[in-house]
């Protein structure tokens, strides 16, 4: 993990503007706490903040030179190439001698060998800005699934880019303005592939290459999920899933000793931890779980969470011989204003998730005190879930599935919107926005006309999960880790695994009548029986009544503040009704997200100086 930033301007000499680029890089110091370096020429300045996983920072940005020592191309690179060995061998066979064995040097020499097609040779998780000195072109690229973030902003004369939107905002050339579409993106959690919420800023889409030259910019998607006929039988499919997961785990965990993992006791993280022990029986493992004071004693099952994690985590850790640590949090830590602001700044955007954000931030901070790299079981739900949109095979005008789920549990319009004014939500037409963005994704995916409708809908749902939901969920987890200088690795975010499982028929994905049948079957021998039989239970939330009281009191202060920036967006009668309700939102997770959304919006508007244009 590193932080990258840069500025290209064909109308000015940027060697006189290095303080601006240093300011952009400083906004990414958390991503690269070990070193900062710049490279500049007349029309370009590239910056890199480096995290030294092994304690020794590499020299970034990386430069390739000709026989006379003149620069040919320069790259600022963030990420991990899982095919570094084979790629390096192929480049060496073609006569390349990279200066060092860094992944940035490999990517740079791959460009010199194959030109713009080089990105198709890179495997892993990465983002980069590459300047070709000879043609004065900038190339921006992002890995296939979009695990590694990258933003850019076309400006007069060229472009600004950075690992996070905050780097571009720090330049002063782009103001923090959010229009109606941006606000709708936030409220529907739409995850539109190129939408960066802030007006004038874009995301480099996953699996996409952006070219910038004097004529402007253009994009080319070099990878996307595509339909292919699946011909393997069930036994072969299960064996292939196991092999692909083992290869990904081996690549992601390689070089780390001990191997550290986030462990929830659910199928996904447990299978990953079990596979680590299977691929390298001699590997020492450290595992980490977040929980809350008195959580097990006070836990009550509900429609979302069926069981606490503790017992399952213990079973897994004992089975693999891991050294395990429970990170136990209390209400005071979760309500610490410094922590709450830090979790907001990690994502640069408001969120409905409240204490799930702060607890993940605190968990990441605790893990960072022990290691610089940790593995996570994220994205397995999206890859192996196999769910469908609804029970109605002829449903029309469907919203994004997570919006539909929230509505089925009583949400107004979308999750977290219950305290916002109808005037705002109807004016934005949040309902139509959720439908249109869902249809956008469905229209992207080309499937054969002969495919049965139930299979088509299941395939579309998976595509939505991996191209829209993942844009938010990956950012959520990756950003909280990056905010404390922790490199997060996700073995399930492997495109070979995703490519294969995406084309497995849904009936085979759920062959035993349960969710994630393939993953369970492929790893059952590596797991305790308790985990094999466990029902899915999401990331835990604080259940201490004191936490509920604290967020309600914070809401009261926000709406009573005469200078409140969030107040004009609220339904005052709905807010007053909630504040007058004994016990607040403790018994209703939908209402709880309503409160957390308002508090997050309020903090975002205040601390980012956001101007909303409706």
């Amino acid at each position: 993990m590193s932080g990258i930033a840069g500025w290209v301007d064909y109308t000015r000499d940027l060697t006189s503007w290095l303080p601006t680029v240093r300011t952009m890089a400083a906004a990414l110091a958390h991503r690269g706490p070990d070193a900062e370096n710049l490279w500049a020429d007349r029309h370009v300045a590239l910056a890199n903040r480096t995290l030294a996983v092994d304690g020794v920072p590499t020299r970034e940005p990386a430069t390739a030179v000709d026989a006379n020592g003149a620069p040919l191309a320069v790259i600022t690179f963030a990420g991990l190439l899982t095919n570094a060995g084979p790629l390096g061998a192929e480049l060496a066979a073609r006569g390349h001698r990279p200066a060092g064995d860094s992944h940035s040097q490999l990517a740079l020499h791959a460009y010199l060998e194959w030109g713009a097609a080089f990105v198709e040779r890179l495997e892993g998780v990465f983002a980069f800005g590459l300047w070709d000195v000879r043609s004065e072109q900038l190339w921006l690229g992002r890995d296939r699934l979009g695990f590694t973030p990258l933003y850019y902003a076309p400006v007069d004369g060229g472009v600004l880019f950075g690992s996070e939107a905050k780097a571009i905002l720090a330049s002063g050339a782009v103001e923090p303005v959010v229009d109606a579409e941006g606000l709708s993106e936030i409220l529907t959690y739409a995850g539109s592939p190129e939408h960066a919420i802030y007006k004038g800023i874009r995301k480099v889409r996953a699996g996409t290459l952006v070219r910038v030259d004097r004529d402007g910019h253009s994009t080319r998607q070099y990878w996307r999920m595509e339909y292919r006929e699946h011909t393997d039988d069930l036994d072969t499919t299960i064996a292939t899933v196991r092999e692909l997961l083992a290869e990904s785990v081996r690549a992601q965990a390689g070089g780390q000793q001990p191997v550290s993992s986030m462990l929830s006791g659910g199928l996904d993280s447990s299978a990953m931890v079990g596979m680590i022990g299977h691929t390298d029986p001699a590997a020492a493992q450290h595992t980490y779980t977040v929980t809350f004071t008195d959580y097990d004693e006070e836990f009550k099952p509900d429609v979302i969470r069926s069981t606490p994690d503790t017992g399952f985590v213990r079973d897994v850790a004992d089975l693999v011989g891991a050294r395990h640590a429970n990170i136990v949090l209390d209400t005071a830590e979760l309500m610490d204003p410094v922590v709450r602001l830090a979790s907001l700044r990690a994502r640069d955007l408001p969120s409905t998730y409240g204490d799930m954000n702060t607890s993940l931030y605190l968990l990441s901070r605790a893990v960072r005190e022990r290691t610089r790299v940790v593995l996570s079981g994220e994205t397995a739900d999206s890859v192996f879930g196999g769910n469908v949109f609804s029970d109605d095979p002829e449903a029309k005008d469907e919203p994004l599935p997570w919006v539909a789920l929230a509505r089925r549990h009583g949400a107004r319009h979308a999750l977290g919107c219950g305290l916002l004014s109808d005037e705002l939500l109807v004016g934005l037409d949040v309902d139509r926005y959720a439908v249109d963005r869902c249809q956008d994704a469905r229209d992207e995916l080309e499937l054969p006309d002969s495919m049965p409708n139930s299979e088509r809908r299941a395939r579309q749902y998976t595509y939505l999960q991996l191209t829209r939901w993942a844009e938010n969920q990956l950012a959520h987890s990756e950003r909280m880790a990056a905010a404390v200088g922790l490199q997060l690795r996700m073995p399930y975010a492997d495109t070979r695994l995703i490519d294969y499982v995406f084309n497995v028929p849904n009936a085979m994905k759920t062959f035993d009548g349960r969710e994630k049948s393939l993953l369970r079957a492929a790893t059952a021998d590596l797991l305790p029986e308790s985990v094999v039989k466990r029902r899915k239970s999401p990331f835990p939330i604080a259940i201490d009544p004191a936490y509920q009281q604290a967020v309600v009191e914070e809401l009261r202060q926000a709406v009573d503040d005469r200078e409140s920036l969030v107040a004009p967006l609220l339904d005052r009668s709905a807010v007053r009704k909630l504040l007058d309700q004994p016990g607040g939102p403790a018994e209703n997770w939908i209402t709880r997200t309503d409160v957390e959304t308002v508090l997050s919006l309020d903090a975002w508007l205040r601390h980012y100086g956001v101007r909303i244009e409706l």
Side-chain angles (χ1 to χ4, degrees), residues 318-342:
D318 288 347
L319 180 65
V320 302
R323 181 178 176 181
H324 182 72
N326 282 324
I327 309 303
V328 183
L329 307 176
D330 60 25
T331 292
E333 291 173 290
L334 295 173
M335 291 304 299
D336 184 332
V338 175
V339 171
R340 288 167 71 82
L341 180 58

Side-chain angles (χ1 to χ4, degrees), residues 28-269:
L28 303 171
H30 52 285
R31 286 187 166 269
D34 297 315
E36 175 187 292
N37 288 290
L38 269 68
W39 184 94
D41 202 353
R42 184 178 178 187
H43 296 306
V44 61
L46 305 178
N48 189 285
R49 295 285 319 204
T50 306
L51 172 69
V53 170
D54 59 2
V56 181
T58 57
R59 180 69 180 179
E60 307 285 348
T63 306
V65 299
D66 64 16
N68 298 317
L72 298 170
V74 186
I75 190 172
T76 182
F77 183 91
L80 171 74
L81 296 181
T82 54
N83 68 329
L87 179 62
E90 184 172 4
L91 287 169
R94 292 172 177 266
H96 289 268
R97 298 292 182 268
D101 58 357
S102 71
H103 292 189
S104 54
Q105 280 283 345
L106 290 175
L108 188 57
H109 280 261
Y111 172 76
L112 296 178
E113 178 64 31
W114 294 293
F118 86 108
V119 70
E120 299 168 26
R121 304 279 184 144
L122 308 183
E123 296 177 11
V125 292
F126 54 83
F128 60 81
L130 187 154
W131 176 254
D132 189 321
V133 177
R134 302 158 299 180
S135 63
E136 292 193 325
Q137 289 182 334
L138 175 73
W139 299 91
L140 301 174
R142 193 173 175 213
D143 63 73
R144 291 162 177 78
L145 193 61
F147 175 81
T148 310
L150 186 58
Y151 295 77
Y152 69 106
V155 293
D156 290 343
V159 69
L160 297 158
F161 71 89
S163 294
E164 298 176 16
K166 60 171 62 71
I168 295 173
L169 294 174
S171 72
V174 179
E175 296 182 10
V177 176
V178 175
D179 60 16
E181 188 173 288
L183 193 53
S184 296
E185 276 281 318
I186 291 171
L187 297 178
T188 60
Y189 216 65
S192 298
E194 296 179 52
H195 208 299
I197 309 299
Y198 294 100
K199 191 175 180 180
I201 301 179
R202 305 177 186 181
K203 284 186 290 191
V204 176
R205 180 171 182 156
T208 296
L209 196 64
V210 179
R211 184 184 69 184
V212 179
D213 57 25
R214 292 177 182 273
D215 296 324
H217 73 278
S218 60
T219 63
R220 177 177 70 85
Q221 194 170 358
Y222 68 86
W223 181 87
R224 60 181 298 176
M225 281 177 287
E226 295 178 341
Y227 167 79
R228 290 187 301 276
E229 185 178 1
H230 186 78
T231 57
D232 291 345
D233 61 19
L234 180 59
D235 288 343
T236 302
T237 299
I238 292 171
T240 302
V241 167
R242 183 181 178 104
E243 179 183 354
L244 290 172
L245 180 58
E247 290 177 0
S248 181
V249 165
R250 190 179 295 111
Q252 299 280 349
Q256 300 305 306
Q257 193 58 243
V259 181
S260 296
S261 303
M262 304 285 201
L263 177 63
S264 70
L267 175 62
D268 308 340
S269 61

Side-chain angles (χ1 to χ4, degrees), residues 458-477:
R459 196 69 60 91
Q460 289 171 336
Y461 183 88
T462 300
Y463 186 79
L464 272 159
Q465 289 274 331
L466 289 168
T467 64
R468 269 58 174 183
W469 181 254
E471 276 290 340
N472 287 305
Q473 285 302 99
L474 291 181
H476 170 72
S477 301

Side-chain angles (χ1 to χ4, degrees), residues 268 377-387 461 465 515-516 536:
D268 308 340
E378 286 275 3
T379 74
D381 275 339
S382 298
V383 177
F384 291 99
N387 297 318
Y461 183 88
Q465 289 274 331
E515 82 285 352
K516 293 184 282 192
K536 177 176 173 55

